Amino acid sequence: MKEKNPESHSERVILDTDQSSSTSDGIDRRGFLKCMAWAGTGLVWSLAGGVPVSRVFGSAMHQQKQEDFSFVQISDSHIGFNKPANADVTGTLQAAVNKILATPSSPDFLIHTGDLTHSSKPAEFDTMDQVLTGAKRQIFYVPGEHDTSVDDGKAYLERYGKGSSGNGWYSFDHKGVHFIGLVNVVELEGMGKLGQAQLDWLKKDLSQRKNSTPIVLFAHIPLWAVYPTWGWGTSDSEQAFSFLKRFGSVTVLNGHIHQVMQKVEGNATFHTAMSTAFPQPAPGAAPSPGPMKVPAEKLRSVLGITEVNYVAQRHQLAVVDSTLSEGAATASSSGLV
């Protein structure tokens, strides 16, 4: 079922499954979403005991155990953009940082899912670095097409590619969770593309992980077919996910489309975040994608961050998006067994 949300200018895809596995909290333990929220660009992810869960951004968190942690996803800051859709993208990125600093969960790190800049100019990277330094957290990046289109990503790699392979892909582990940053914006062919070299690397990287290891993938362009007509998908993602079928928990974080969309399929939960710069139209709602102007007073209600909470031993997966507007947060959740 597809449903348009006129306030968030996004589309939600709801997958209904057997109700018998649901509990009184409305969470489907088979891994499909019972409810979804589409008002913001941020998720607060917390991870505890190997499974990601979430909470309303800015709300009090449960008492954390040593193995619990949270991180924040931001995306599409487009520093250097100065069109009417948002003449102050640096200001809205700063607002996102301010919101991160105010989170009670004290996230361990940030993930930026691409389009750091609008035209990959050194001054744009400098400005973004200056603003994000204020978040006082380690930041993991993947590039967007705006970070690579001018020089094939040379400037991006010089700044953020240390220790990565190929065009900037890499992995790391944090408290029992395996994170993989992928690059699908260099070999563009209408849609995103990972390429054979990266797929070979991914297969090898995953072969060293146990089936029980929670996996978090993050890349710029969605790793599922959101709207191929606009290039909103990755042409060879199916091959990538053939390597992931044996894992019990797979979470996929993307940006690029500047709006929240989510689905759960099998063992994988897919989530795209909104931009901190400007919104884009819902799939098919305009002749083409691109910056969408909204009334100035509504702009921050369609921008935001994503916080991810990981809670040990809960076997529960949920996501929460929060806009840059005061008090604006919406939640969606699912569970895994």
Side-chain angles (χ1 to χ4, degrees):
M1 176 172 65
K2 294 185 178 180
E3 182 174 334
K4 296 290 181 64
N5 182 338
E7 293 185 359
S8 65
H9 303 282
S10 61
E11 178 178 316
R12 55 182 178 179
V13 181
I14 301 177
L15 304 178
D16 295 320
T17 59
D18 183 4
Q19 301 284 323
S20 63
S21 61
S22 298
T23 62
S24 59
D25 61 6
I27 295 172
D28 181 341
R29 302 303 179 190
R30 299 284 175 89
F32 286 81
L33 298 186
K34 282 283 292 174
C35 63
M36 302 202 179
W38 309 99
T41 147
L43 273 182
V44 183
W45 291 92
S46 295
L47 296 99
V51 180
V53 299
S54 68
R55 60 183 174 79
V56 175
F57 192 92
S59 65
M61 190 180 174
H62 68 284
Q63 185 175 359
Q64 285 189 304
K65 299 179 181 179
Q66 185 176 359
E67 63 268 33
D68 296 359
F69 69 94
S70 68
F71 64 92
V72 170
Q73 178 194 4
I74 59 175
S75 197
D76 296 271
S77 47
H78 283 273
I79 297 300
F81 179 86
N82 60 359
K83 299 294 193 323
N86 185 355
D88 185 17
V89 293
T90 301
T92 49
L93 179 60
Q94 182 62 60
V97 169
N98 293 343
K99 193 137 191 173
I100 292 167
L101 292 173
T103 59
S105 59
S106 187
D108 284 20
F109 55 85
L110 310 184
I111 285 177
H112 194 308
T113 47
D115 278 354
L116 291 63
T117 67
H118 196 61
S119 54
S120 60
K121 295 178 180 177
E124 295 173 354
F125 284 117
D126 289 344
T127 297
M128 192 212 64
D129 286 339
Q130 183 178 6
V131 174
L132 291 186
T133 295
K136 301 177 182 179
R137 294 291 183 274
Q138 184 175 8
I139 306 172
F140 296 95
Y141 298 96
V142 287
E145 76 279 7
H146 284 267
D147 305 313
T148 61
S149 59
V150 174
D151 59 356
D152 291 328
K154 182 179 178 181
Y156 169 87
L157 286 174
E158 288 176 350
R159 288 180 182 249
Y160 312 108
K162 185 178 180 180
S164 65
S165 301
N167 292 313
W169 55 82
Y170 61 97
S171 65
F172 66 94
D173 295 287
H174 188 76
K175 294 186 177 180
V177 180
H178 189 58
F179 291 80
I180 305 173
L182 299 176
V183 179
N184 55 359
V185 297
V186 176
E187 299 183 41
L188 291 176
E189 297 179 355
M191 295 199 297
K193 185 177 181 180
L194 297 167
Q196 193 59 50
Q198 187 171 194
L199 288 167
D200 292 342
W201 172 88
L202 176 63
K203 183 177 181 180
K204 182 178 179 180
D205 180 82
L206 290 169
S207 70
Q208 303 172 48
R209 316 297 159 190
K210 296 179 179 179
N211 294 359
S212 58
T213 303
I215 305 295
V216 176
L217 297 178
F218 57 103
H220 181 62
I221 297 174
L223 289 164
W224 53 294
V226 174
Y227 197 63
T229 302
W230 284 358
W232 287 3
T234 300
S235 61
D236 50 2
S237 61
E238 185 174 349
Q239 186 174 347
F241 282 99
S242 70
F243 310 145
L244 291 153
K245 292 180 179 179
R246 65 183 177 89
F247 294 95
S249 174
V250 179
T251 303
V252 186
L253 306 179
N254 301 121
H256 186 58
I257 70 173
H258 296 217
Q259 59 198 280
V260 176
M261 295 188 68
Q262 186 171 7
K263 77 167 184 174
V264 176
E265 183 174 334
N267 63 337
T269 296
F270 299 81
H271 185 94
T272 63
M274 295 166 85
S275 169
T276 65
F278 53 84
Q280 292 201 76
S288 64
M292 184 172 67
K293 192 175 186 299
V294 298
E297 67 274 12
K298 292 186 177 181
L299 178 61
R300 294 198 179 196
S301 70
V302 291
L303 306 176
I305 64 173
T306 298
E307 185 181 358
V308 183
N309 302 314
Y310 185 91
V311 182
Q313 307 304 322
R314 287 284 299 274
H315 295 288
Q316 179 182 2
L317 176 64
V319 292
V320 175
D321 289 285
S322 173
T323 72
L324 298 186
S325 298
E326 289 296 326
T330 52
S332 62
S333 57
S334 68
L336 297 173
V337 292

